[in-house]
Amino acid sequence: MNLAEFIEGSRDQHLAELYDFLRIPSISAKTEHKPDIERGARWVADHLRTAGFKSVEIVPTGLHPLVYAESLEAPGKPTILFYGHYDVQPPEPLELWTSPPFQPTVRDGNLFGRGTADDKGQVHIHVKALESLHKLHGKFPVNIKVLIEGEEEVGSVSLWNYVQSHKEKLQADALLVSDTSMLAKGVPSITYGLRGLNYYQIELTGPIRDLHSGVYGGAVPNPLTILAELFAKLHDKNFRVAIPGFYDNVAKISAAERKALNSLPWKKKDFEKAVGAPGYDGEKGFTIVERLWTRPTLEINGIWGGYIGEGAKTVIPSKAFAKLSTRLVPNQDPRKIAKLVEKHVRKLLPKSVHCKLDVLSSGKPWVAPYHAPIFQKAQAALEKGFGKRAVFIREGGSIPFVTQMHDTFKVPCVLIGFGLPDENAHAPDEHIALENYFGGIKAIAHFYADLATL
Ligand code: BES
Ligand code: MN
Ligand code: MN
């Protein structure tokens, strides 16, 4: 039996196994799902053992456990570190799912469920690719280290400590990640840039308790009104972030890169279909692709406070809350940006409210050259899996570990994504195209095999 036959002949088993993984609601943001997170870690550890790894450990951290496995039995061959995450985003709003988030279901060639694209489905692609190689040859073609964490969706906070205290252990010739997207269906893609992310929470407190809005209204500060006024001032009319210094260190992209990015087979029509808004806005002077991949932003992710229940309640809330984030690009420094944001927010707020501002997570942007030979091998492998030449893209999302690794070890980071931009990551009806899942297993198996001659 050859590799293709092995993969093709077990399609149903592969899927059935992925279903099991997807049924575990390993939601890292919610304390009540701690047991599911632990179950998720155990599932990964067990299946890495089945795939052929003899050394597998579940490492407890300050928050959620990570899974580390290694097989260093290919002397003289390169060592590849594969990274992914087994945690998922909360599934709410539940009523907008066509089938329940943790009951994987196939419809129209797509597998639906939370984590199908981000990132369990993509992690499983690697597990199955490696298992296929091990079953066929009785060993792995290269030395492999695997790190699958459970905190990616909440900012990979514990991972940084782990990396710092296990540098030797994680040392590799290259990092391999599948937690990104393809440019479009049928366009295999290698991602060479990600935005960084600072995530903030604001708590405004005015009155010491909620007040009757008739008895007190008109003479007291309303934290919700003040929050709305604050947010209205954070962008200018050209959709630029109106925080002094915010753009100071933004690197200008070269004319050549600009041209390359704008000539990719990226379709505005697909983008607009995926978003479905009545109209579009963005920073003046940049194309949509440039806005998404090369420009920093500030977004409000949630606002709450006061009365939001049924009917009316005349109340002036004591508190108003918001979650916001800044996406960062080279060469913005997350710490510096956090200081600028806090300084400006405090400057804009009136003295009538108290403001608590927390930075919940912070991660640097990442952009790296793709000349190293491993990138040609990645292209060749993708061609084997998808019959098409891969393109090099940047993306707007963030994966804190990629920057950490790149900064720490200065090795090539190869990001091969099998998701699609319209597969509803973080939203209801998340899915992965079965053709990408199976094409992915094939491509990744060829990639690991080919890396033996790197
Ligand atoms: N897989 C995504 C990152 C991603 C998505 C990269 C699409 C490229 C394209 C990852 O799971 C994610 O969602 N990351 C978070 C960051 C984290 C610090 C919460 C993000 O980008 O919001
Ligand atoms: Mn992800
Ligand atoms: Mn995600």
Side-chain angles (χ1 to χ4, degrees), residues 85 87 89 117-119 122 151-156 178-181 191 193-195 197 199 327 361-363 395-400 415 425-426:
H85 61 94
D87 65 321
Q89 288 274 337
D118 185 11
D119 181 33
Q122 300 206 54
E151 275 181 39
E152 199 279 341
E153 298 293 8
V154 289
S156 302
S178 289
D179 190 24
T180 48
S181 301
T191 300
L194 295 167
R195 289 193 284 192
L197 180 76
Y199 204 99
R327 292 278 165 186
S361 75
S362 189
E395 286 188 90
S398 312
I399 308 174
L415 275 58
H426 296 199

Tab-separated table of all heavy atoms in Angstrom, residues 85 87 89 117-119 122 151-156 178-181 191 193-195 197 199 327 361-363 395-400 415 425-426, ligand 1:
chain	number	residue	atom	x	y	z
A	85	HIS	N	-3.523	24.115	18.250
A	85	HIS	CA	-4.256	24.236	19.519
A	85	HIS	C	-5.518	23.387	19.513
A	85	HIS	O	-6.171	23.237	18.477
A	85	HIS	CB	-4.562	25.693	19.863
A	85	HIS	CG	-5.427	26.451	18.886
A	85	HIS	ND1	-6.781	26.551	19.029
A	85	HIS	CD2	-5.128	27.153	17.765
A	85	HIS	CE1	-7.291	27.292	18.055
A	85	HIS	NE2	-6.304	27.672	17.264
A	87	ASP	N	-7.912	23.965	21.903
A	87	ASP	CA	-9.023	24.728	22.494
A	87	ASP	C	-9.822	25.402	21.386
A	87	ASP	O	-9.331	25.607	20.275
A	87	ASP	CB	-8.522	25.761	23.511
A	87	ASP	CG	-7.658	26.864	22.892
A	87	ASP	OD1	-6.848	26.548	21.991
A	87	ASP	OD2	-7.792	28.027	23.301
A	89	GLN	N	-13.218	28.386	20.483
A	89	GLN	CA	-13.962	29.569	20.905
A	89	GLN	C	-15.336	29.146	21.433
A	89	GLN	O	-15.868	28.124	21.017
A	89	GLN	CB	-14.172	30.479	19.684
A	89	GLN	CG	-12.907	31.183	19.233
A	89	GLN	CD	-12.681	32.486	19.988
A	89	GLN	OE1	-13.613	33.083	20.523
A	89	GLN	NE2	-11.435	32.919	20.026
A	117	ALA	N	-12.467	24.076	11.575
A	117	ALA	CA	-11.404	24.791	10.858
A	117	ALA	C	-10.366	25.332	11.832
A	117	ALA	O	-9.172	25.361	11.529
A	117	ALA	CB	-11.999	25.933	10.039
A	118	ASP	N	-10.808	25.755	13.001
A	118	ASP	CA	-9.947	26.467	13.963
A	118	ASP	C	-10.033	25.790	15.326
A	118	ASP	O	-10.881	26.125	16.121
A	118	ASP	CB	-10.416	27.926	14.026
A	118	ASP	CG	-9.541	28.790	14.899
A	118	ASP	OD1	-8.460	28.350	15.296
A	118	ASP	OD2	-9.958	29.933	15.181
A	119	ASP	N	-9.140	24.876	15.662
A	119	ASP	CA	-8.036	24.420	14.858
A	119	ASP	C	-7.979	22.893	14.892
A	119	ASP	O	-7.061	22.271	14.388
A	119	ASP	CB	-6.752	25.053	15.435
A	119	ASP	CG	-5.487	24.681	14.662
A	119	ASP	OD1	-5.558	24.497	13.441
A	119	ASP	OD2	-4.434	24.567	15.298
A	122	GLN	N	-7.557	21.023	11.647
A	122	GLN	CA	-6.222	21.192	11.061
A	122	GLN	C	-5.151	20.437	11.863
A	122	GLN	O	-4.196	19.910	11.291
A	122	GLN	CB	-5.868	22.679	10.964
A	122	GLN	CG	-6.851	23.468	10.090
A	122	GLN	CD	-6.210	24.701	9.479
A	122	GLN	OE1	-5.186	24.617	8.824
A	122	GLN	NE2	-6.825	25.857	9.702
A	151	GLU	N	-4.679	27.060	25.126
A	151	GLU	CA	-4.950	28.452	25.512
A	151	GLU	C	-4.845	29.427	24.359
A	151	GLU	O	-4.783	30.637	24.588
A	151	GLU	CB	-3.915	28.904	26.562
A	151	GLU	CG	-4.250	28.558	27.968
A	151	GLU	CD	-3.180	29.062	28.937
A	151	GLU	OE1	-2.653	30.162	28.736
A	151	GLU	OE2	-2.886	28.324	29.886
A	152	GLU	N	-4.797	28.920	23.137
A	152	GLU	CA	-4.568	29.840	22.013
A	152	GLU	C	-5.682	30.868	21.903
A	152	GLU	O	-5.431	32.055	21.696
A	152	GLU	CB	-4.440	29.046	20.704
A	152	GLU	CG	-3.764	29.846	19.588
A	152	GLU	CD	-4.678	30.808	18.855
A	152	GLU	OE1	-5.918	30.653	18.925
A	152	GLU	OE2	-4.171	31.742	18.215
A	153	GLU	N	-6.915	30.413	22.075
A	153	GLU	CA	-8.042	31.324	21.876
A	153	GLU	C	-8.190	32.343	23.005
A	153	GLU	O	-9.032	33.233	22.930
A	153	GLU	CB	-9.352	30.533	21.696
A	153	GLU	CG	-9.367	29.611	20.477
A	153	GLU	CD	-9.356	30.347	19.131
A	153	GLU	OE1	-9.182	31.580	19.119
A	153	GLU	OE2	-9.516	29.670	18.100
A	154	VAL	N	-7.398	32.200	24.050
A	154	VAL	CA	-7.418	33.217	25.104
A	154	VAL	C	-6.051	33.898	25.239
A	154	VAL	O	-5.743	34.509	26.251
A	154	VAL	CB	-7.899	32.653	26.471
A	154	VAL	CG1	-9.389	32.345	26.417
A	154	VAL	CG2	-7.122	31.408	26.867
A	155	GLY	N	-5.225	33.780	24.209
A	155	GLY	CA	-4.006	34.583	24.173
A	155	GLY	C	-2.700	33.871	24.472
A	155	GLY	O	-1.655	34.512	24.565
A	156	SER	N	-2.715	32.547	24.630
A	156	SER	CA	-1.472	31.763	24.821
A	156	SER	C	-0.612	32.290	25.964
A	156	SER	O	0.619	32.369	25.854
A	156	SER	CB	-0.639	31.761	23.531
A	156	SER	OG	-1.379	31.236	22.464
A	178	SER	N	-0.528	24.701	11.163
A	178	SER	CA	-1.719	24.761	10.310
A	178	SER	C	-2.856	25.338	11.137
A	178	SER	O	-3.593	24.613	11.812
A	178	SER	CB	-2.090	23.365	9.783
A	178	SER	OG	-1.142	22.943	8.818
A	179	ASP	N	-2.964	26.647	11.116
A	179	ASP	CA	-3.998	27.334	11.899
A	179	ASP	C	-4.403	28.616	11.178
A	179	ASP	O	-4.773	29.600	11.798
A	179	ASP	CB	-3.446	27.628	13.303
A	179	ASP	CG	-4.515	28.113	14.261
A	179	ASP	OD1	-5.702	27.810	14.037
A	179	ASP	OD2	-4.165	28.810	15.237
A	180	THR	N	-4.262	28.576	9.853
A	180	THR	CA	-4.563	29.751	9.045
A	180	THR	C	-5.506	29.333	7.913
A	180	THR	O	-6.068	28.238	7.961
A	180	THR	CB	-3.259	30.349	8.468
A	180	THR	OG1	-2.485	29.287	7.880
A	180	THR	CG2	-2.417	30.999	9.562
A	181	SER	N	-5.636	30.196	6.915
A	181	SER	CA	-6.583	29.908	5.835
A	181	SER	C	-5.892	29.884	4.486
A	181	SER	O	-4.810	30.419	4.317
A	181	SER	CB	-7.664	30.993	5.780
A	181	SER	OG	-8.348	31.058	6.989
A	191	THR	N	1.250	31.165	4.480
A	191	THR	CA	1.130	32.481	5.106
A	191	THR	C	2.474	32.932	5.665
A	191	THR	O	3.080	32.215	6.461
A	191	THR	CB	0.065	32.410	6.232
A	191	THR	OG1	-1.180	32.027	5.647
A	191	THR	CG2	-0.104	33.749	6.921
A	193	GLY	N	2.864	36.199	6.974
A	193	GLY	CA	2.694	37.337	7.868
A	193	GLY	C	1.386	37.265	8.626
A	193	GLY	O	0.362	36.828	8.080
A	194	LEU	N	1.416	37.649	9.899
A	194	LEU	CA	0.210	37.702	10.735
A	194	LEU	C	0.221	39.033	11.478
A	194	LEU	O	1.288	39.601	11.735
A	194	LEU	CB	0.230	36.579	11.783
A	194	LEU	CG	0.177	35.137	11.296
A	194	LEU	CD1	0.537	34.197	12.447
A	194	LEU	CD2	-1.206	34.801	10.737
A	195	ARG	N	-0.969	39.512	11.831
A	195	ARG	CA	-0.978	40.709	12.661
A	195	ARG	C	-0.818	40.314	14.125
A	195	ARG	O	-1.104	39.185	14.515
A	195	ARG	CB	-2.282	41.486	12.455
A	195	ARG	CG	-2.322	42.137	11.078
A	195	ARG	CD	-3.438	43.154	10.947
A	195	ARG	NE	-4.738	42.544	10.784
A	195	ARG	CZ	-5.832	43.212	10.415
A	195	ARG	NH1	-5.761	44.520	10.180
A	195	ARG	NH2	-6.989	42.598	10.280
A	197	LEU	N	-1.704	41.258	18.278
A	197	LEU	CA	-2.974	41.597	18.924
A	197	LEU	C	-2.762	42.011	20.375
A	197	LEU	O	-2.106	41.310	21.140
A	197	LEU	CB	-3.899	40.378	18.892
A	197	LEU	CG	-5.267	40.566	19.522
A	197	LEU	CD1	-6.181	41.365	18.611
A	197	LEU	CD2	-5.923	39.233	19.838
A	199	TYR	N	-5.324	42.862	23.535
A	199	TYR	CA	-6.741	42.784	23.901
A	199	TYR	C	-6.948	43.490	25.235
A	199	TYR	O	-6.219	43.242	26.193
A	199	TYR	CB	-7.166	41.317	24.006
A	199	TYR	CG	-8.650	41.136	23.807
A	199	TYR	CD1	-9.157	40.738	22.582
A	199	TYR	CD2	-9.535	41.398	24.840
A	199	TYR	CE1	-10.523	40.591	22.387
A	199	TYR	CE2	-10.910	41.262	24.658
A	199	TYR	CZ	-11.384	40.851	23.429
A	199	TYR	OH	-12.740	40.704	23.230
A	327	ARG	N	-5.239	45.352	16.443
A	327	ARG	CA	-4.416	44.461	15.596
A	327	ARG	C	-3.178	45.260	15.222
A	327	ARG	O	-3.279	46.426	14.827
A	327	ARG	CB	-5.146	44.071	14.318
A	327	ARG	CG	-6.337	43.196	14.518
A	327	ARG	CD	-5.987	41.725	14.671
A	327	ARG	NE	-7.154	41.042	15.200
A	327	ARG	CZ	-7.179	39.771	15.569
A	327	ARG	NH1	-6.119	39.001	15.465
A	327	ARG	NH2	-8.274	39.241	16.062
A	361	SER	N	-4.365	40.316	26.932
A	361	SER	CA	-3.295	39.563	26.273
A	361	SER	C	-2.604	40.466	25.268
A	361	SER	O	-3.139	41.503	24.878
A	361	SER	CB	-3.840	38.312	25.583
A	361	SER	OG	-4.522	38.661	24.400
A	362	SER	N	-1.420	40.057	24.898
A	362	SER	CA	-0.594	40.921	24.078
A	362	SER	C	0.308	40.058	23.194
A	362	SER	O	0.971	39.157	23.687
A	362	SER	CB	0.242	41.782	25.032
A	362	SER	OG	0.919	42.780	24.326
A	363	GLY	N	0.287	40.288	21.902
A	363	GLY	CA	1.124	39.480	21.022
A	363	GLY	C	1.648	40.309	19.855
A	363	GLY	O	0.953	41.171	19.322
A	395	GLU	N	-1.906	37.341	6.452
A	395	GLU	CA	-3.270	37.292	6.956
A	395	GLU	C	-3.431	38.256	8.117
A	395	GLU	O	-2.458	38.719	8.702
A	395	GLU	CB	-3.644	35.867	7.385
A	395	GLU	CG	-3.875	34.954	6.186
A	395	GLU	CD	-4.439	33.614	6.600
A	395	GLU	OE1	-5.664	33.482	6.663
A	395	GLU	OE2	-3.644	32.705	6.869
A	396	GLY	N	-4.689	38.526	8.431
A	396	GLY	CA	-4.966	39.519	9.460
A	396	GLY	C	-5.073	38.973	10.862
A	396	GLY	O	-5.002	39.722	11.832
A	397	GLY	N	-5.235	37.649	10.999
A	397	GLY	CA	-5.381	37.034	12.316
A	397	GLY	C	-4.052	36.985	13.060
A	397	GLY	O	-3.015	37.418	12.532
A	398	SER	N	-4.103	36.447	14.275
A	398	SER	CA	-2.918	36.433	15.133
A	398	SER	C	-2.706	35.061	15.763
A	398	SER	O	-3.666	34.402	16.153
A	398	SER	CB	-3.093	37.452	16.264
A	398	SER	OG	-3.522	38.693	15.751
A	399	ILE	N	-1.451	34.648	15.822
A	399	ILE	CA	-1.089	33.414	16.523
A	399	ILE	C	0.147	33.744	17.361
A	399	ILE	O	1.269	33.719	16.847
A	399	ILE	CB	-0.785	32.256	15.546
A	399	ILE	CG1	-1.938	32.071	14.539
A	399	ILE	CG2	-0.534	30.956	16.309
A	399	ILE	CD1	-1.661	31.037	13.454
A	400	PRO	N	-0.057	34.069	18.635
A	400	PRO	CA	1.063	34.574	19.449
A	400	PRO	C	2.296	33.672	19.414
A	400	PRO	O	3.428	34.158	19.385
A	400	PRO	CB	0.466	34.639	20.864
A	400	PRO	CG	-1.018	34.761	20.655
A	400	PRO	CD	-1.335	34.049	19.369
A	415	LEU	N	3.636	28.330	7.682
A	415	LEU	CA	2.219	28.318	8.036
A	415	LEU	C	1.410	27.870	6.824
A	415	LEU	O	1.285	28.592	5.831
A	415	LEU	CB	1.770	29.720	8.476
A	415	LEU	CG	2.010	30.085	9.946
A	415	LEU	CD1	3.471	29.991	10.319
A	415	LEU	CD2	1.493	31.474	10.258
A	425	ALA	N	-14.971	30.778	11.214
A	425	ALA	CA	-14.191	30.608	12.441
A	425	ALA	C	-14.706	31.623	13.464
A	425	ALA	O	-15.020	32.763	13.107
A	425	ALA	CB	-12.715	30.847	12.152
A	426	HIS	N	-14.829	31.207	14.703
A	426	HIS	CA	-15.299	32.056	15.824
A	426	HIS	C	-16.783	32.411	15.709
A	426	HIS	O	-17.275	33.215	16.494
A	426	HIS	CB	-14.489	33.363	15.944
A	426	HIS	CG	-13.047	33.144	16.286
A	426	HIS	ND1	-12.245	34.142	16.810
A	426	HIS	CD2	-12.250	32.056	16.188
A	426	HIS	CE1	-11.024	33.678	17.010
A	426	HIS	NE2	-11.002	32.398	16.633
B	1	BES	N1	-6.360	30.524	13.951
B	1	BES	C1	-6.571	31.821	14.463
B	1	BES	C2	-5.653	32.856	13.874
B	1	BES	C3	-5.836	33.136	12.413
B	1	BES	C4	-7.082	33.179	11.836
B	1	BES	C5	-4.745	33.366	11.640
B	1	BES	C6	-7.229	33.414	10.490
B	1	BES	C7	-4.887	33.636	10.311
B	1	BES	C8	-6.132	33.639	9.730
B	1	BES	C9	-6.413	31.780	15.960
B	1	BES	O1	-7.034	30.688	16.556
B	1	BES	C10	-7.054	33.004	16.545
B	1	BES	O2	-8.245	33.124	16.467
B	1	BES	N2	-6.273	33.868	17.167
B	1	BES	C11	-6.775	34.997	17.853
B	1	BES	C12	-5.713	35.575	18.716
B	1	BES	C13	-5.743	35.214	20.151
B	1	BES	C14	-4.691	35.991	20.890
B	1	BES	C15	-7.067	35.291	20.820
B	1	BES	C16	-7.160	36.094	16.905
B	1	BES	O3	-6.548	36.243	15.830
B	1	BES	O4	-8.087	36.830	17.243
